[in-house]
Each structure stands twice: as C-alpha cells, then as structure tokens.
Amino acid sequence: MKTFTTVAIAASTLASVAHGHYIFEYLTANGVEGSAYQNVRYNTNYNSPVTDLASPDLRCNVGGESGSNTTTVAVTAGSTVTFTADVAVYHQGPVSFYMTKVADASAADGSSQWFKVKEIGPTFSGGSATWDLSKSYDVTVPNCLPASEYLLRIEQLAIHNPGGTPQFYVACAQVKVTGSGSGSPSPVVAIPGHIKATDPGYTANIYNDFTNYTVPGPKVWAC
Ligand SMILES: *[C@@H]1O[C@H](CO)[C@@H](O)[C@H](O)[C@H]1NC(C)=O
Ligand SMILES: *[C@@H]1O[C@H](CO)[C@@H](O)[C@H](O)[C@H]1NC(C)=O
Ligand SMILES: [Cu+2]
C-alpha cells in the first residue's frame, strides 16, 4: 500500500508540474514588487493560454477585460518595471511588451490602439537558438512617452510545438505614466489583429533549420 501511495503522489506531482503553466501575476515598479494581482489584472483563465488569434481575450487574458480591483501604479517615463510570473516560463518563444493609452486604466477594455515597446527574440549561436526563459522580464517605459494612464501588456508566445497552435500567455498591468514626454508612439495596432496566422514568427519551426527569427507583431516604437 505504501508503495502504491508513494507512486500515486509522485505521478500527480509530475502531472501538476507538467501542466503548471506560468501566470504573470506581479509587477515591480519604483523598486517595489506588488502582491499578486495588485497592479496586474486578475484573470479567470488560471494558467491556460489564449490560442484564438481573433479573441479579445488576447488583450489582457480571459477575465481581464477590466481591472476594478487592480491598483494603477504611478511610474516615471524612462523607469524600468518588471513582470514576474508564479513559475518561470518554460515553453520556448518570444516575449513582447505593448502599451495602450487610456483614460482610466482600471476601466479600459484594451480596444484602443496598442504599440510595442520591447521584444525579446532568441539569440543564435553556433547553430542553435537560445530563448530567454525566465520568471521575470524587465521593460523600460519609453522616456518620451506622454503622461497618461496606460495598460502595459506582456505577451509570451509559446511556439514550442511546431504544427500545433501557438499559445499566448498574457497579462496587463495598470500604470499611470508621469513626466513631460511628447513622443508619438507608432506603428499602432489593434489587439486582436496584431498577429496573423501566416506570420513567420508565428508559424516557425524552431527545431528545423532554425537560423533566424522575426518576433511577430508591429515594430518596436523607439523615442
Ligand atoms: C478581482 O475580482 C475578481 C472578479 O471580480 C475576483 O474573482 C478576484 O478574486 C479579485 N482578485 C483579487 C486579488 O481580489
Ligand atoms: C528568416 O528569414 C527569411 C529570409 O528573410 C524569411 O523569409 C523567414 O520568414 C525568416 N524566418 C523567420 C522564422 O522569421
Ligand atoms: Cu504547455
């Protein structure tokens, strides 16, 4: 009996590890890490990915269409903030950060225009690709970004299973950017709609003759 119990526990532990996808729950701003979902919108998706390229859930995850119990945190343009997940990302794929200007970050549904502020693709060396699989990812709020409330979105696109449907792990933080920036973010895109099923960065086979990669979505806006 003891043996069977031990085996059963070991098997269920393995199963939960295998299915324990990462969820971006924490935001560090001004050097302080908030508690889970303090500044990042709660979702009802648990750790499942969004896989429908046409779904509004791509914006801020399932259940993240508003953030009435999420606090909007003030950050200075030019400062760096960090998204942290509950467990480290382990499916290979790019990480991108998007922002959209909104009147009220706790009410905005993300239907406004988004721009990309950072992307992290693989590094190629000696014929192999290395992805940044981490628990935390930094992004700098562009220093010329006009003061306003914004949604700040992280997108990790898992393309570890060529031929299968890529998986989006997404979350939105609510920020109020301060400063005197007067930049005009471009290009802007709608989400959903920012990635097409035929984009090379979406369809890539990362195990076969993989020597270059273009992160899907718009080009990064730089001040
Ligand atoms: C936020 O609101 C949702 C739905 O109203 C709720 O399920 C969730 O527990 C809340 N999250 C926090 C951190 O209070
Ligand atoms: C790699 O580069 C080729 C030639 O420019 C391009 O056609 C292809 O789409 C790129 N592959 C990826 C995965 O971005
Ligand atoms: Cu998985």
Side-chain angles (χ1 to χ4, degrees), residues 36-38 40 42-44 63 68-70:
Y37 303 116
Q38 183 178 344
V40 176
Y42 186 78
N43 74 77
T44 55
S68 48
N69 60 5
T70 306

Side-chain angles (χ1 to χ4, degrees), residues 38-50:
Q38 183 178 344
N39 304 124
V40 176
R41 285 189 180 178
Y42 186 78
N43 74 77
T44 55
N45 202 19
Y46 189 44
N47 58 23
S48 298
V50 179

Side-chain angles (χ1 to χ4, degrees), residues 82-144:
T82 305
F83 278 94
T84 300
D86 55 341
V87 298
V89 167
Y90 60 87
H91 285 325
Q92 298 99 315
V95 176
S96 301
F97 298 87
Y98 290 77
M99 296 182 80
T100 186
K101 187 176 183 182
V102 296
D104 178 351
S106 65
D109 67 0
S111 59
S112 45
Q113 300 279 282
W114 296 79
F115 51 97
K116 190 191 268 178
V117 292
K118 183 179 181 180
E119 62 185 25
I120 308 172
T123 49
F124 293 95
S125 173
S128 70
T130 304
W131 298 91
D132 179 5
L133 302 178
S134 301
K135 195 171 179 187
S136 293
Y137 296 94
D138 291 345
V139 60
T140 298
V141 177
N143 60 14
C144 68

Side-chain angles (χ1 to χ4, degrees), residues 1 16 27-28 42 64 74 79 84-85 101 111 121 128 150 155 158 167 172 184 195:
M1 275 309 280
S16 68
L27 188 78
T28 300
Y42 186 78
S79 68
T84 300
K101 187 176 183 182
S111 59
S128 70
Y150 291 84
E155 170 189 284
Q167 306 173 345
C172 291
S184 301
I195 293 179

Side-chain angles (χ1 to χ4, degrees), residues 18-19 21-22 49 90-91 158 160 167 169:
H19 296 110
H21 284 134
Y22 33 95
Y90 60 87
H91 285 325
H160 59 296
Q167 306 173 345
Y169 295 89

Side-chain angles (χ1 to χ4, degrees), residues 124 159 198-206 209-215:
F124 293 95
I159 52 171
T198 52
D199 287 347
Y202 184 80
T203 58
N205 182 330
I206 63 169
D209 197 18
F210 187 55
T211 54
N212 65 291
Y213 184 77
T214 305
V215 177

